[in-house]
Structure formats: structure tokens, C-alpha cells
Amino acid sequence: MRAMILAAGRGERLRPLTERIPKPLIPLAGEPLIVHQLRWLHRAGIREVVVNLHHLGEAIERALGTGVDLGVRIHYSREPELLDTGGGIKKALPRLCPGPFVVLNGDIWTNYAFRNLVDVRPDKAHLVLTPTPAHRDRADFHLVNTGGTALVHRGADNNVTYCGLAVLAESLFDDTPGGPFSFTDPLFKAVDAGEVTGEIFNGTWVDIGTPGELKRARRLTA
């Protein structure tokens, strides 16, 4: 299985820090966040990783190189025009397929066991979800067990948040446009069609999107 780390975003909510350092290179426990993420993938047996680049992408590429020092092979997907999450993944599909692949946001800290995902074979997508944190205004989804399968739904019963971690099938991107688009566009369509499975993760998860959450991640890793 291969994986993609979404690392192209500008990190607007962490400005002015992210005006000089891309969010995936923010140090935690003495190393850039993205280095920890690559180590997580390596421990799960994943050796081929795509990293998309836009904002300060040259700095990420200089820091990581080919990935040989981390035991992985990094393929860079450069985006002269920021393609958003969906467009970025679609552009990288030739390096991620055939077969399903792991996608993780380049700004999450977690102790999730990535090896749990390497044998997952979803029809469209399989999402890692967590009980919605108190600082979140709303939840993203809820799960409904149907015939022994936990299907992801959207609606009034939402009580879990997407962790920025998933296994995706190439078919999720059928009939999607060229250029920029959000990953949520095809994802919500698949959810509404009953084609997305999910699991609940109750461990450590931090979405490092705000100064407050960055401080929390640094406390956890001190």
C-alpha cells in the first residue's frame, strides 16, 4: 500500500508562523511534524509516499529529500496552482494506484496505529473518526452499523469528527473535475450513496490548525 501526505496548504490560521515555515515542518519533539508522520507510515510497512507541495514547498523538499534516511521513497507532486485537497489527490493518483491508498493531512498528530489500515479495501473510502472534541463547533458524521459494517452517514445524529486520515479507492475520483476541488465533494457524494465505511478512534489526535491546538500538541510531545 502507498500513502499520500497533504502538505500543500498555506496554514492560514497559524499565521504569521506559517508565513516563514510550512505547517508540516513545524517542530514537535525535536523533529518536523511531517518526519513523525513518515515514521508512522514506515512502521506500518508503507514505503512509497507522495507529498504534495505548494506553499513553501521547496523548504519541505529540502528538509525531506528522497526519504531514504527515513526508510521511505518520497514522490513529490508539485502544484504551481493550489489544487485544494481533492484536486491535489487526483493529480497524484498515477503515483498512488493501482489499489487503495492511505491519505493523511499534513497537520495532524496522533498515536493511531497505521498498520490497522494496510489491509483495508474500501469500495470508495474508509474514514478514521473520533468523538467530536469540545472545541469543535459541530460534528462531521455518525456511524450506522448495517449487516456488521459500520457505514458513515451525515445528518442530525452527527457525533464524530473526521481525523484527516483515510483509505481511499481510485474510483472515489471518477467524474471529478480537473483543477481545484475539495475532497469533501466526492466524499459526501459517496457517503450519501452508502459507499463509505468508518471506524472510531479514541486515542490521541490533534488537528494542528490553530495556535491553541499547536500548544496542545507541544504539551503532549514535551
Side-chain angles (χ1 to χ4, degrees), residues 97-109:
C97 299
F101 53 91
V102 173
V103 168
L104 68 151
N105 292 352
D107 59 359
I108 62 170
W109 176 269

Side-chain angles (χ1 to χ4, degrees), residues 110-132:
T110 183
N111 63 357
Y112 179 83
F114 282 71
R115 62 183 175 272
N116 293 343
L117 298 179
V118 296
D119 294 321
V120 175
R121 298 292 183 268
D123 290 335
K124 296 288 185 179
H126 177 82
L127 307 184
V128 179
L129 307 162
T130 195
T132 300

Side-chain angles (χ1 to χ4, degrees), residues 8-35:
R10 297 182 181 278
E12 297 286 358
R13 292 178 296 165
L14 281 173
R15 295 176 63 190
L17 174 62
T18 48
E19 291 176 355
R20 56 183 176 82
I21 181 172
K23 190 157 52 170
L25 291 187
I26 290 173
L28 288 174
E31 291 186 307
L33 171 58
I34 196 170
V35 169

Side-chain angles (χ1 to χ4, degrees), residues 1-187:
M1 180 176 276
R2 300 182 178 189
M4 180 173 186
I5 299 176
L6 299 176
R10 297 182 181 278
E12 297 286 358
R13 292 178 296 165
L14 281 173
R15 295 176 63 190
L17 174 62
T18 48
E19 291 176 355
R20 56 183 176 82
I21 181 172
K23 190 157 52 170
L25 291 187
I26 290 173
L28 288 174
E31 291 186 307
L33 171 58
I34 196 170
V35 169
H36 292 284
Q37 294 182 328
L38 289 165
R39 293 191 196 282
W40 302 338
L41 295 171
H42 180 270
R43 285 198 293 268
I46 295 172
R47 299 292 185 265
E48 302 280 332
V49 183
V50 176
V51 177
N52 67 332
L53 303 176
H54 177 75
H55 176 63
L56 300 177
E58 300 88 350
I60 296 174
E61 191 167 354
R62 284 196 305 270
L64 300 180
T66 64
V68 64
D69 293 340
L70 297 167
V72 298
R73 182 183 178 191
I74 299 174
H75 306 272
Y76 294 104
S77 180
R78 300 171 185 84
E79 298 178 18
E81 173 193 24
L82 188 60
L83 294 174
D84 204 343
T85 48
I89 297 170
K90 183 171 183 176
K91 182 178 186 292
L93 286 178
R95 293 192 178 274
L96 293 166
C97 299
F101 53 91
V102 173
V103 168
L104 68 151
N105 292 352
D107 59 359
I108 62 170
W109 176 269
T110 183
N111 63 357
Y112 179 83
F114 282 71
R115 62 183 175 272
N116 293 343
L117 298 179
V118 296
D119 294 321
V120 175
R121 298 292 183 268
D123 290 335
K124 296 288 185 179
H126 177 82
L127 307 184
V128 179
L129 307 162
T130 195
T132 300
H135 68 271
R136 289 286 183 112
D137 293 334
R138 64 181 185 278
D140 299 327
F141 302 107
H142 61 277
L143 289 180
V144 176
N145 286 305
T146 304
T149 300
L151 293 179
V152 178
H153 288 256
R154 299 191 294 152
D157 294 330
N158 287 356
N159 60 357
V160 290
T161 293
Y162 173 53
C163 289
L165 176 57
V167 178
L168 306 182
E170 183 179 9
S171 59
L172 181 68
F173 297 89
D174 291 347
D175 303 318
T176 53
F181 68 92
S182 174
F183 162 58
T184 59
D185 296 344
L187 178 65

